[in-house]
């Protein structure tokens, strides 16, 4: 995307390229194309200017590396005390057994939930930093989408039950396998499900779908919540953006959807939303399918 300064100078395109010198060394260059016009405004030609940006690129790489090292160190310092806290709290919860409905049990569950949320926030920050530094990597394998979605629904069912929100899973009997990072795929789906739960009223069902469209497998999470305005939808996948309604009612940093977008695009897919105020929302994302077809068994209808 062109900067405002470049646009004002009549630049119509900028391309990052690498050139190799005669001695074999490589340099990073930015080629800027500008339009040459006659007095009457008609185009008479184009002019290209090559800028050596090698040092700028190296400085950016050093800055990104330093930022990532700092965040890794910070995450390590935060995680260290969280691990024994969660372990100890989990052991104490087991000792309470059926007495978890007491005031002490509820307070303990709140402590565990808060610690787990903090750990998830730290992981999200590291992922965002890894994308910015260009060090984010996927561990790809052939994945059966129906089986993966069933496992996610089983994991999310207790939270859905607590909110009295039925989870409905609609998956065809035959669905192409996908080449995906299992942990990252789960991260995206769980994030969309948690958002749907958060913005849906008690007793409102949430539907998870998967379907084949050409070479793509499309996944959908549909809720019947309050919906999102068209203006807010334009910024929904930007880092740290939160809707006005979200800021008033919920805590959070607004990086979940932005991170989901980056993960999906790293797989070669895309993510989008269809919503209207008062009419609920459907978040969808696509991933490329493989030639191998799995999911031969009938789909399950999941109900919390």
């Amino acid at each position: 995307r062109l900067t405002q300064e470049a646009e004002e100078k009549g630049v119509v395109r900028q391309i990052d390229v690498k050139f190799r010198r005669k001695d074999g060394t490589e340099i990073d260059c930015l080629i800027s194309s500008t339009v040459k016009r006659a007095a009457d405004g008609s185009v008479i030609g184009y002019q290209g200017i090559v800028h050596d940006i090698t040092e700028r690129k190296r400085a950016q790489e050093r800055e990104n590396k330093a930022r990532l090292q700092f965040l890794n160190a910070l995450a390590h310092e935060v995680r260290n005390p969280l691990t024994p806290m969660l372990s100890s709290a989990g052991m104490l919860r087991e000792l309470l057994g059926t007495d978890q409905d007491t005031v002490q049990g509820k307070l303990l569950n709140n402590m565990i939930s808060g610690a787990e949320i903090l750990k998830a926030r730290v992981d999200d920050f590291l992922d965002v930093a890894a994308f910015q530094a260009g060090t984010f990597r996927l561990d790809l394998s052939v994945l059966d989408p129906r089986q993966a979605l069933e496992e996610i629904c089983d994991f999310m069912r207790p939270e859905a039950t607590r909110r009295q929100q039925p989870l409905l899973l609609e998956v065809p009997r035959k669905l192409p396998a996908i080449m995906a990072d299992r942990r990252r795929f789960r991260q995206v789906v769980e994030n969309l499900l948690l958002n749907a739960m958060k913005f849906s009223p008690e007793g409102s069902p949430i539907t998870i779908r998967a379907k084949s469209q050409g070479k793509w497998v499309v996944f959908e999470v549909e809720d019947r919540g309050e919906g999102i305005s068209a203006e807010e939808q334009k910024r929904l996948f930007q880092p740290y953006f939160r809707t006005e309604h979200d800021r008033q009612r919920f805590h959070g940093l607004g990086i979940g959807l932005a991170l989901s977008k980056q993960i999906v695009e790293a797989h070669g897919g895309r993510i989008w939303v269809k919503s209207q105020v008062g009419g609920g929302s459907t978040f969808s994302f696509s991933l490329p399918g493989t030639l191998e077809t799995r999911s031969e068994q009938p789909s399950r209808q999941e109900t919390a």
Side-chain angles (χ1 to χ4, degrees):
R1 180 172 177 170
L2 298 177
T3 63
Q4 182 177 353
E5 180 183 1
E7 290 178 342
E8 290 174 352
K9 292 181 179 179
V11 176
V12 294
R13 192 177 183 187
Q14 289 183 320
I15 308 173
D16 283 359
V17 296
K18 283 185 178 292
F19 287 116
R20 188 184 300 274
R21 294 192 178 103
K22 291 183 178 180
D23 61 4
T25 60
E26 289 186 340
I27 60 172
D28 292 291
C29 294
L30 178 68
I31 301 178
S32 300
S33 300
T34 56
V35 181
K36 308 300 288 185
R37 298 182 182 274
D40 61 358
S42 61
V43 177
I44 60 175
Y46 295 87
Q47 180 180 26
I49 303 175
V50 180
H51 304 272
D52 184 347
I53 58 171
T54 304
E55 288 304 317
R56 187 199 308 174
K57 284 272 191 178
R58 290 175 180 171
Q60 290 174 345
E61 290 172 0
R62 289 193 296 267
E63 181 181 347
N64 288 337
K65 184 177 180 180
R67 183 187 301 115
L68 188 58
Q69 288 175 340
F70 170 76
L71 288 174
N72 278 322
L74 179 62
H76 179 75
E77 293 300 316
V78 174
R79 279 198 185 113
N80 273 352
L82 278 178
T83 301
M85 284 171 57
L86 283 168
S87 298
S88 300
M91 293 174 63
L92 183 56
R93 184 162 59 181
E94 289 181 4
L95 291 175
L96 286 175
T98 57
D99 295 331
Q100 293 182 24
D101 288 335
T102 62
V103 174
Q104 294 90 334
K106 291 178 180 179
L107 290 174
L108 179 60
N109 285 333
N110 287 341
M111 292 168 58
I112 294 175
S113 177
E116 289 175 341
I117 291 173
L118 178 57
K119 184 177 181 298
R121 293 287 184 271
V122 172
D123 291 338
D124 287 346
F125 270 125
L126 287 177
D127 286 340
V128 171
F131 272 110
Q132 292 176 343
T135 60
F136 186 85
R137 298 292 180 268
L138 296 174
D139 182 14
L140 298 176
S141 62
V142 177
L143 189 65
D144 179 355
R146 183 181 63 82
Q147 181 182 19
L149 290 175
E150 288 177 348
E151 292 174 356
I152 294 171
C153 284
D154 288 342
F155 176 75
M156 300 292 289
R157 185 177 294 109
E159 178 64 16
T161 300
R162 185 181 72 81
R163 297 171 181 261
Q164 299 182 29
Q165 295 170 332
L167 290 184
L168 307 177
L169 179 60
E170 299 179 0
V171 181
R173 295 177 60 183
K174 293 185 178 181
L175 196 64
I178 56 175
M179 186 66 69
D181 185 315
R182 178 178 293 272
R183 184 169 72 89
R184 298 301 184 180
F185 174 80
R186 182 170 186 143
Q187 184 177 357
V188 172
V189 176
E190 288 183 1
N191 179 62
L192 297 182
L193 278 174
L194 285 172
N195 279 352
M197 292 178 185
K198 184 168 64 172
F199 293 106
S200 297
E202 186 176 287
S204 175
I206 295 169
T207 304
I208 305 97
R209 300 187 185 91
K211 54 188 176 184
S212 178
Q213 289 187 354
K215 67 176 184 177
W216 303 97
V217 179
V218 177
F219 303 89
E220 298 179 349
V221 176
E222 179 185 13
D223 67 59
R224 300 179 187 177
E226 300 177 4
I228 307 165
S229 69
E231 187 62 31
E232 289 177 326
Q233 289 179 43
K234 297 176 183 177
R235 302 175 57 197
L236 202 56
F237 295 99
Q238 295 178 5
Y240 311 111
F241 173 75
R242 300 172 65 205
T243 67
E244 182 64 29
H245 187 259
D246 190 3
R247 288 194 297 269
Q248 291 176 357
R249 294 179 54 191
F250 304 104
H251 298 292
L253 299 169
I255 61 177
L257 287 177
L259 184 57
S260 295
K261 180 177 185 291
Q262 290 173 318
I263 292 173
V264 169
E265 291 180 347
H267 281 83
R270 69 184 187 94
I271 188 169
W272 65 96
V273 62
K274 291 183 179 179
S275 181
Q276 59 181 4
V277 177
S281 304
T282 299
F283 283 84
S284 307
F285 68 95
S286 61
L287 295 178
T290 68
L291 295 178
E292 181 180 2
T293 300
R294 299 195 172 190
S295 301
E296 297 289 346
Q297 302 176 16
S299 62
R300 288 163 47 184
Q301 296 294 322
E302 297 290 347
T303 304

